[in-house]
Amino acid sequence: FATDDRSRIGCLDMAGNVSEWCEDFDGGSRTDRVVAGGNYATAEPERFLIDGGSTLPQTDYSRTVGFRGVVRVPVSP
């Protein structure tokens, strides 16, 4: 494993798999959700930035959009 893509708590390969559905809706919409991050088909580097998201209707299917389960882990500074 390469260690240059390791997070500060030791997770590997967290970027570039799929873009992720977010809990947030786009503005006043109740159907278009924010999709954040880049994926394996992304050509624009700015899409990998934390604020480089887009929106999709939450009923859409895309093989480049998924979700990431989150568990809060206490980390010392």
Side-chain angles (χ1 to χ4, degrees):
F1 287 102
T3 58
D4 57 346
D5 65 345
R6 184 182 304 260
S7 75
R8 69 185 186 116
I9 62 169
C11 296
L12 294 169
D13 301 323
M14 298 295 284
N17 186 9
V18 293
S19 299
E20 292 141 357
W21 290 108
C22 295
E23 183 177 6
D24 305 324
F25 287 98
D26 179 34
S29 171
R30 296 304 296 168
T31 60
D32 294 347
R33 287 203 182 258
V34 173
V35 174
N39 58 65
Y40 64 89
T42 300
E44 308 86 17
E46 60 273 7
R47 290 289 305 275
F48 287 93
L49 299 174
I50 197 164
D51 60 351
S54 60
T55 59
L56 284 175
Q58 64 184 359
T59 55
D60 275 11
Y61 166 80
S62 172
R63 45 185 243 197
T64 60
V65 179
F67 66 94
R68 183 184 311 267
V70 177
V71 176
R72 295 191 186 274
V73 178
V75 177
S76 57

